[in-house]
């Protein structure tokens, strides 16, 4: 699995998850429950991970949705 985006923005995270689900691209969100350790202040970013073979499709999808600046290198 490879990192697609990293963000502290819960709205962006939900939007990306919905886009990927609609496109039948499986994803996993890492660090989703780290708020327990950080005291729920949103400091630690969450990472959206996709399978290596779907990474390029996921990047293209986010680019088409105007989210290119959020895509991890």
């Amino acid at each position: 699995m490879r990192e697609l985006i990293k963000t502290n923005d819960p709205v962006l995270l939900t939007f990306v998850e919905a886009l990927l689900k609609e496109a039948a691209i499986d994803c996993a969100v890492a660090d989703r429950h780290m708020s327990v350790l950080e005291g729920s202040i949103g400091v630690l970013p969450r990472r959206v991970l996709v399978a290596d073979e779907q990474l390029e499709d996921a990047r293209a999808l986010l680019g088409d949705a105007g989210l290119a600046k959020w895509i991890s290198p």
Side-chain angles (χ1 to χ4, degrees), residues 9-61:
D9 185 341
V11 175
L12 175 62
L13 187 64
T14 302
F15 182 55
V16 169
E17 284 183 282
L19 285 174
L20 294 172
K21 182 177 180 179
E22 186 174 318
I25 297 174
D26 293 326
C27 71
V29 179
D31 309 319
R32 184 186 299 266
H33 301 292
M34 291 300 290
S35 63
V36 172
L37 298 176
E38 69 181 18
S40 298
I41 58 176
V43 174
L44 299 174
R46 282 57 169 171
R47 297 173 294 138
V48 176
L49 307 172
V50 296
D52 292 341
E53 59 272 3
Q54 293 183 309
L55 183 61
E56 290 308 314
D57 291 337
R59 285 181 172 167
L61 178 68

